[in-house]
Amino acid sequence: MSALYAATLTTFKSQGWHYREVPGMEVIESDFEAHHTKVPLHVQVYGTAHIASVVATASMKVPPSHRLQVAELLMRTNKELNLGNFELDWDSGEVMFRISNIFPPHRYDERILASLVHSTIAEMDRVTPFLGEICNTPKGELLLLRVRDLMKREELLPPVPAEVS
């Protein structure tokens, strides 16, 4: 077990997060209840490279007829992100958010690991209602859908968390 994977396990334990280890791999899987959806999470550690990669998967698959509009949504969303990115597996219709961090050797900050998890969940939760709006648009009305205008709908965003003092 790499030191980074041990730090990742400690982070999950200290946060009180339920998780499953994938046998034979430095991988943790977990499910988080967010505002809009349940977020399946996959954390993979590359110990010798000191990299942790956190991936969330959307709860819905995008039908082939709606992939162009979802690709536009994800492209426009990625343009505004500082860390991480959304991906669309064109063949399966699966939407993912991925964020990774390269750690200095033997300096695996649990706050950074927890932040990667929190950010991944928040980003997937934030995009989920927009994905739903697109996927629920009847195929015949897709040409009328303006993704740029859809993204301006603030009522679809999760509430801003209250600051902890």
Side-chain angles (χ1 to χ4, degrees), residues 4 7 11 101 103-104 106-115:
L4 178 54
T11 300
N101 193 69
F103 291 87
H106 311 295
R107 294 183 53 205
Y108 312 122
D109 190 328
E110 291 178 27
R111 294 171 300 175
I112 293 172
L113 288 163
S115 179

Side-chain angles (χ1 to χ4, degrees), residues 2-20:
S2 71
L4 178 54
Y5 186 62
T8 305
L9 288 170
T10 300
T11 300
F12 270 72
K13 289 173 187 169
S14 66
Q15 294 289 325
W17 296 333
H18 296 281
Y19 63 90
R20 302 170 299 281

Side-chain angles (χ1 to χ4, degrees), residues 70-87 97 123 126-127 147-148 151:
V70 167
E72 180 183 352
L73 170 71
L74 300 181
M75 182 246 355
R76 290 182 181 280
T77 302
N78 281 340
K79 185 178 173 186
E80 303 299 321
L81 293 174
N82 290 314
L83 296 171
N85 64 284
F86 281 97
E87 304 169 11
F97 179 82
E123 290 299 341
R126 183 172 65 94
V127 82
V147 173
R148 183 185 311 216
M151 293 176 72

